[in-house]
Amino acid sequence: MNAKKASESRIVNTAQVLSCDLNNYNTLFGGILMKKLDDAATLSARRHSRVKECVTASTDSIDFLCPIHQTDSVCVESFVTYTGRTSMEIFCKVIAEDIGTGERRVAATAFLTFVALDENKMPVPVPVVIPETEEEKFLYETAKERAEIRKLRRKKSKELAAYISLEKPWDK
């Protein structure tokens, strides 16, 4: 399987912020941004792996760094930063741009992990990623640490799940 450049998986999606996208603070709903992130990351994963189906395995974090207003455009950029055997770490950055002034700012960042699946819904190997830019190299070099944190968090989530009640609240 051939390696692929990180740039080959890059997705850029820019949209305006509509009034129906705003919360009661007149800023973009976090949930709407989360959907945009998952959509872009899915396309990056599929572009990198060239399979029909990639599923979200985890969302490590979405760090909301500044609000996005109705006067802004919102640009979501995503690309594969690192791969395991069947998994891909996707980095997403959100750039808000004030349409009136042209001022651009990083509004959010996120890391998501996807797994490539075959037609039987089984994980399949994915190509290794080749970082080229300074940004891509930094994300590639720091990916193993994030992967270890991800494994630990998943282990802790499984431990927690053992204590979570499945009873219906009204049956108590």
Side-chain angles (χ1 to χ4, degrees), residues 72-84:
D72 295 329
S73 68
V74 60
C75 176
V76 176
E77 187 175 332
S78 66
F79 56 94
V80 176
T81 56
Y82 192 79
T83 59

Side-chain angles (χ1 to χ4, degrees), residues 123-149:
V124 295
V126 296
V128 171
V129 68
I130 303 167
E132 296 179 297
T133 68
E134 187 176 329
E135 178 183 51
E136 292 166 357
K137 288 176 183 175
F138 174 79
L139 292 167
Y140 181 86
E141 291 164 4
T142 56
K144 285 187 180 178
E145 180 182 348
R146 285 188 300 278
E148 289 303 315
I149 293 168

Side-chain angles (χ1 to χ4, degrees), residues 28-41 56 58-68 74-78 89-95 106-114 146 149-150 153:
L28 183 68
F29 265 115
I32 288 178
L33 184 58
M34 291 167 70
K35 182 184 183 322
K36 290 177 182 290
L37 293 168
D38 195 57
D39 288 347
T56 310
S58 73
T59 300
D60 291 2
S61 64
I62 300 174
D63 294 313
F64 299 98
L65 304 174
C66 65
I68 300 171
V74 60
C75 176
V76 176
E77 187 175 332
S78 66
E89 179 189 77
I90 317 290
F91 174 66
C92 296
K93 61 182 171 182
V94 178
I95 307 291
V106 178
T109 59
F111 287 96
L112 295 89
T113 303
F114 281 75
R146 285 188 300 278
I149 293 168
R150 199 175 295 124
R153 192 182 72 240

Side-chain angles (χ1 to χ4, degrees), residues 10-22:
R10 192 173 301 270
I11 296 293
V12 179
N13 187 353
T14 305
Q16 64 182 343
V17 177
L18 303 174
S19 59
C20 61
D21 298 332
L22 302 177

Side-chain angles (χ1 to χ4, degrees), residues 9-11 40-49 78-80 90:
S9 66
R10 192 173 301 270
I11 296 293
T42 299
L43 288 174
S44 286
R46 289 186 61 204
R47 184 176 274 177
H48 183 79
S49 63
S78 66
F79 56 94
V80 176
I90 317 290

